[in-house]
Amino acid sequence: MSAAGSLLAAVPAAAVLLLTVAARPREAGAVAPLRLAVVRAVLLSGAYAVLVVEVLGALHALTRQAFTIAWLLFLAAAATAAGLRRRRETRLGQPSAAAPASVGAAPRPVPVGAVVSGGTPDVSAPAAERNEPDAAPTRVGRGPSGLLGVAVDTWRTARLGERLLAGTIGGLVLLELLVALLAEPNNFDSQTYHLPKVEHWVAQGDLDFWPTAIHRQVTIPPGAEYLLLHLRLLTGGDHLHNLVQWAAGVVCLLVAARITAQLGGGRRAQLLTAFVLATTPMVVLQATSTQTDLICAAWVACAATLVLDGLRRRTGWGTLLGLGAATGLTAVTKTSGLIAVGPLLVLWGLAQLRLARTRDAAAADPAPAGPAAAGGGRRAWPVGGLARTIGGSVLILVVAAVVVGPFLARVTAEFGHPLGPPRLRESIPMERHDPASIVVNALRIGHTAFDTPLAPLRRAGAEVIISGAEAIGVDPQDRAITFGRELFPEPAWYPDEDRVAFPLAGALAVIGAVIALARPRRIAPERAGSLRAYAVVVLTAVLLHTAMIKWQPWGNRLLLYAVVLAVPLAGLWLDALIRNRAGGRRSVATMAAVTVLATSALAGVLALSYGFPRRLVGAGSVFTTSDWDTRFLRRPQWADEFRWAATAVQDSGARRIGLVQQNDNWEYPWWLLLRQPDGGSPDLVALQSVLPERPPADPSSVDAIVCTGSEAACAKLVPAGWRLEFRGYVGYALPPGR
């Protein structure tokens, strides 16, 4: 990557930081305002990134120059907004929203501001809200020295346990950043369709569909790849591609901690939430990957935290735009995330209607636990409040449609359905919805999600599920409830980014959800109604997921958005357990919780150290494995085969090269190996196509053919008289004389 590419890649990051300054909430009493500003900044930047791709794609201008101009303009706008915000605050003599106001010495029982994620103190939390028994009045200035002072003070006043939690979170995040920077993209799906999709856009200069044998290159929502496209054009390569998921992981930690604060958790509860999430192996491994699940989870979490803000006060226009952006970004990234966004928006709508009906809306609790919490004031149905709620709902849908609409329009025009061709609509979604089938599917998903290295336990659980399914007349391997040709059960305990289970985080979240539903006042006395309502939404999302998505061995990563939403319930419960540790039995329970947290930390460290396919130590370490071999850690035997075929084709002087492959074959290595001498994209054309309206190229029109997978399938497309060579997985064909 060139120096110019490095500088250009820093522009989006700088813009997000400036927007964070400009987007700090002005309203008094905002929970964790610094993190709320981050949410607003990333949603605005994400929506802008998607719309830039759509607009420039429509203009056939997906070029480095166009993207550079777009981001420089965005940076200038962000800098202007931040400057205006600072000048306004200076003129009015207002303290920075990121700085705490003076506070008294007595701690409040239910803290609402809070502390860290990723090891960085959140300066929005007043001292009295940080579990400090004797907090002194503090007032901090706006400058960097003031923020640093708050950070130092927070660390100084933190207890040993809180320091250990924060240190572990920060250490993991920094090590993940190191791996993300050192490792080349090597995710299996990325080799097949995530990264080839980006290369096709760069080669074409637009977003038009192309003939391909891999339908997922054009049918799967491309939101994550849109973000990768920005880095690809700005830097000229894929060296920073892993940073997109890493950044999404940081956002998930920050937002999950803020959700905990919104539900009544103090500093320790938020640290516990961030700790459990940061040490979950699936999060650790995906944070260094070019997968898409953490990105989806980040957008869903942003929607959740904005919805929780709407439970206590009427939602402003800015937040409505944010909810629309979060919904649209979720839809354009991974439609399964809408399974959670839908119930969240329903909760928001009900809360807004309730607030509109209550005259003293500011004092009303959105989901009261009893008559005393219902709030004062007379009930009414003000026409203006009802119209505002309906209008806000429409605005959310309109903004979401602006973000995801262009992609859906292309898919509908191509396949006659916004969800793509039948093979896509029937492969992942459940095709049976009778209660017995849903129960069996839910049990299989749970078995895979809670898998452990204890093989006897795995076998016993699977046998019970299989026997139970047969007893109620459901085939546990029924294709209508099972993805592809996969067979249940499948081990999922190994730290692999595509399938690793989350038994610890899952168990803690389940316990937290049960307590939140049954006895919410135990863990959030002053937020019991909100906590119970949120737990209902999380449970609804999980149930909908099991009723709508078929079981598959890789299904755990599809649940990542639900894990991020559920972990705050675990953090709140753990904090309550520690807070009420007096007494023998409670002390035993606290020790058990500490043991679970230590085990969770060990799982996170081991996943980062030995996880697959990127690890710090051992065979395949990012420190000892070459860039090219790192790309092929999934299939080491293919590394030399791709190079062998590409070298032969390049030596022949071929310019136009035909592709022969099957639906799950690796295409991306060809885009790397066959680039033009000046770094330009190779002229690769498909000789097969699953798109009815996109016919493949004629084999006689190409100068060479490269193949993956089946030699027999390749031989059928090689013109007569051409020489075909094949080694294991990879082959090539050249015409006579080449």
Side-chain angles (χ1 to χ4, degrees):
M1 181 173 60
S2 65
S6 300
L7 290 174
L8 290 175
V11 171
V16 172
L17 291 177
L18 289 169
L19 282 177
T20 301
V21 174
R24 290 171 298 175
R26 298 177 182 176
E27 63 270 17
V31 177
L34 184 58
R35 277 170 279 169
L36 176 56
V38 171
V39 169
R40 292 172 174 177
V42 297
L43 286 175
L44 179 57
S45 301
Y48 179 78
V50 169
L51 294 177
V52 163
V53 173
E54 291 290 358
V55 171
L56 294 181
L59 298 175
H60 305 282
L62 298 181
T63 64
R64 185 181 192 183
Q65 294 78 7
F67 274 64
T68 300
I69 293 171
W71 277 110
L72 290 176
L73 290 174
F74 191 68
L75 178 64
T80 301
L84 291 174
R85 177 65 183 272
R86 292 292 293 264
R87 281 198 293 272
R88 182 179 183 276
E89 290 175 350
T90 302
R91 184 175 67 254
L92 298 177
Q94 295 175 340
S96 170
S102 297
V103 295
R108 284 179 280 186
V110 182
V112 294
V115 80
V116 303
S117 189
T120 303
D122 186 340
V123 298
S124 64
E129 295 178 352
R130 299 199 299 260
N131 298 325
E132 299 174 17
D134 298 306
T138 307
R139 193 172 186 87
V140 182
R142 293 196 278 283
S145 60
L147 299 181
L148 180 61
V150 173
V152 172
D153 181 66
T154 300
W155 182 262
R156 180 181 60 81
T157 58
R159 297 183 176 91
L160 176 60
E162 294 172 343
R163 291 183 180 184
L164 289 174
L165 292 173
T168 303
I169 297 165
L172 285 172
V173 169
L174 290 177
L175 286 174
E176 289 162 7
L177 175 61
L178 178 65
V179 174
L181 289 171
L182 292 179
E184 302 298 315
N186 61 0
N187 172 261
F188 194 102
D189 285 347
S190 295
Q191 307 281 5
T192 299
Y193 68 96
H194 291 311
L195 300 186
K197 187 185 300 186
V198 174
E199 295 301 323
H200 277 285
W201 293 333
V202 173
Q204 296 177 174
D206 58 40
L207 300 175
D208 290 346
F209 291 161
W210 53 89
T212 178
I214 303 173
H215 77 87
R216 291 175 292 173
Q217 291 182 0
V218 296
T219 57
I220 298 292
E225 291 87 345
Y226 281 175
L227 303 181
L228 294 178
L229 176 62
H230 286 269
L231 286 178
R232 169 66 176 85
L233 288 171
L234 293 176
T235 67
D238 61 8
H239 311 288
L240 301 182
H241 279 8
N242 292 331
L243 292 186
V244 176
Q245 280 257 112
W246 177 83
V250 172
V251 171
C252 287
L253 295 177
L254 290 170
V255 179
R258 182 173 192 262
I259 290 172
T260 305
Q262 291 172 291
L263 296 174
R267 179 172 69 185
R268 183 175 57 210
Q270 294 167 64
L271 278 168
L272 288 166
T273 294
F275 179 87
V276 172
L277 187 59
T279 55
T280 300
M282 179 67 77
V283 175
V284 172
L285 293 169
Q286 288 229 3
T288 63
S289 171
T290 48
Q291 263 293 6
T292 63
D293 304 285
L294 265 180
I295 300 172
C296 174
W299 301 137
V300 173
C302 287
T305 195
L306 294 180
V307 164
L308 287 176
D309 280 339
L311 299 189
R312 301 179 63 197
R313 65 180 67 191
R314 297 306 304 273
T315 300
W317 296 112
T319 301
L320 290 173
L321 294 174
L323 283 170
T327 303
L329 288 168
T330 301
V332 82
T333 301
K334 212 173 188 73
T335 51
S336 57
L338 294 176
I339 295 174
V341 173
L344 284 167
L345 292 180
V346 170
L347 175 62
W348 170 85
L350 293 175
Q352 291 295 294
L353 287 173
R354 182 181 181 277
L355 290 172
R357 194 180 177 190
T358 304
R359 177 165 297 181
D360 189 12
D365 186 276
R378 291 177 296 148
R379 302 279 179 168
W381 281 108
V383 175
L386 184 61
R388 179 176 174 178
T389 302
I390 296 174
S393 302
V394 172
L395 179 60
I396 291 172
L397 296 178
V398 169
V399 173
V402 170
V403 175
V404 72
F407 168 70
L408 294 181
R410 288 193 299 275
V411 172
T412 303
E414 189 74 30
F415 301 104
H417 195 287
L419 298 181
R423 65 184 302 174
L424 178 64
R425 302 198 303 272
E426 297 169 1
S427 60
I428 297 177
M430 288 273 285
E431 298 177 75
R432 290 180 56 178
H433 297 92
D434 55 285
S437 296
I438 293 174
V439 168
V440 171
N441 193 55
L443 291 173
R444 294 183 305 166
I445 289 175
H447 180 274
T448 304
F450 288 86
D451 192 21
T452 70
L454 303 175
L457 180 62
R458 180 189 315 116
R459 287 195 297 269
E463 289 172 0
V464 169
I465 293 172
I466 291 172
S467 300
E470 293 172 346
I472 60 177
V474 177
D475 179 2
Q477 315 298 349
D478 186 355
R479 297 302 100 189
I481 60 173
T482 306
F483 178 82
R485 300 178 181 177
E486 305 303 324
L487 296 176
F488 173 82
E490 183 73 23
W493 64 269
Y494 184 80
D496 183 300
E497 66 174 354
D498 286 336
R499 67 175 65 197
V500 63
F502 34 83
L504 293 176
L508 292 173
V510 167
I511 295 172
V514 170
I515 301 298
L517 290 170
R519 302 183 66 182
R521 291 186 178 277
R522 250 182 102 176
I523 55 180
E526 295 187 11
R527 295 287 185 273
S530 299
L531 177 61
R532 179 176 284 162
Y534 182 77
V536 168
V537 167
V538 173
L539 177 62
T540 300
V542 173
L543 293 177
L544 287 174
H545 185 100
T546 60
M548 298 173 68
I549 306 296
K550 293 178 180 177
W551 175 87
Q552 55 179 284
W554 312 279
N556 288 341
R557 64 182 182 83
L558 301 182
L559 273 170
L560 193 53
Y561 72 89
V563 173
V564 173
L565 291 184
V567 163
L569 302 175
L572 288 165
W573 172 70
L574 288 170
D575 180 63
L577 191 66
I578 296 171
R579 187 172 63 243
N580 301 321
R581 63 180 179 271
R585 278 195 289 178
R586 285 179 178 172
S587 295
V588 171
T590 301
M591 289 301 299
V594 171
T595 302
V596 170
L597 290 175
T599 306
S600 182
L602 179 62
V605 171
L606 290 177
L608 188 58
S609 301
Y610 295 99
F612 197 72
R614 291 165 304 282
R615 57 178 52 170
L616 286 172
V617 297
S621 166
V622 294
F623 296 113
T624 60
T625 309
S626 69
D627 293 348
W628 186 250
D629 289 335
T630 298
R631 296 180 184 276
F632 285 85
L633 284 175
R634 285 284 187 191
R635 299 291 187 271
Q637 67 275 19
W638 294 350
D640 291 336
E641 295 177 5
F642 270 98
R643 269 184 166 166
W644 159 76
T647 299
V649 170
Q650 286 180 318
D651 290 345
S652 72
R655 293 291 182 181
R656 182 175 166 87
I657 303 165
L659 285 173
V660 178
Q661 55 196 1
Q662 287 75 56
N663 184 56
D664 206 29
N665 288 178
W666 286 20
E667 180 182 313
Y668 186 58
W670 299 127
W671 290 97
L672 298 174
L673 291 167
L674 298 174
R675 282 189 179 177
Q676 302 294 336
D678 62 356
S681 298
D683 186 8
L684 293 176
V685 295
L687 302 185
Q688 310 138 290
S689 179
V690 295
L691 277 65
E693 304 300 323
R694 310 277 174 173
D698 188 335
S700 63
S701 69
V702 301
D703 303 323
I705 296 174
V706 291
C707 310
T708 50
S710 169
E711 181 177 1
C714 185
K716 292 180 180 178
L717 292 170
V718 173
W722 284 39
R723 175 169 57 93
L724 173 62
E725 301 284 346
F726 225 92
R727 283 188 185 176
Y729 179 75
V730 178
Y732 70 89
L734 295 173
R738 284 188 180 268

